[in-house]
Amino acid sequence: MTPILSPWTRPASAEKPAPKCLRQRVLVVEDELLIGEIAAEALTDAGYEVFMAASAEEAEVVLRDMSVDLLFTDINLGGRDGFELAQTALSLQPLLLIVFTSGRSWICHGMCQSAGVPFLAKPYHLAEVVETVERALRVTAIQ
């Protein structure tokens, strides 16, 4: 028999973080859909408004239609790469922040570091995704 729980005996529901005053928008671009969805869910749970794209071409459509604060993109997207996407994105939205990610960290990390762009190596923990995005947005807010 299943016990009936009163409002006083129900377990407390997990509290979600309070939404940000001005919800910041993040575009996640990942050709591996499951990885992209998981990263997007972590950012949504952290209070961001998140959009997803599975390719550079899809991302450009989003960037033409709406303003976003940060582009979180894989470098190896199958077709055009994340670096090309970033160039196009910055021409469309010059104040856009960018965070790159890749499983080929030994090559890409050095390129990103020399350009002064945040890089997150795969595989990553979801907390690292949120921390990296928050750090990138916070650094810009201070400047």
Side-chain angles (χ1 to χ4, degrees), residues 29 32 37 81 89 94:
V29 185
E32 294 183 48
E37 287 176 8
D81 67 26

Side-chain angles (χ1 to χ4, degrees), residues 68-122:
V68 296
D69 300 296
L70 187 135
L71 172 66
F72 182 85
T73 183
D74 188 10
I75 293 173
N76 305 311
L77 292 171
R80 292 182 30 231
D81 67 26
F83 294 125
E84 293 172 294
L85 170 60
Q87 287 180 329
T88 302
L90 288 170
S91 70
L92 293 169
Q93 298 187 30
L95 300 177
L96 182 67
L97 300 172
I98 298 169
V99 173
F100 288 111
T101 184
S102 177
R104 300 177 61 198
S105 60
W106 63 93
I107 297 170
C108 301
H109 184 265
M111 293 169 41
C112 292
Q113 188 174 24
S114 66
V117 179
F119 176 80
L120 184 60
K122 289 181 185 176

Side-chain angles (χ1 to χ4, degrees), residues 33-56:
L33 295 178
L34 184 58
I35 293 171
E37 287 176 8
I38 292 170
E41 185 176 338
L43 291 167
T44 299
D45 288 347
Y48 295 97
E49 185 174 0
V50 181
F51 304 94
M52 284 192 56
S55 67

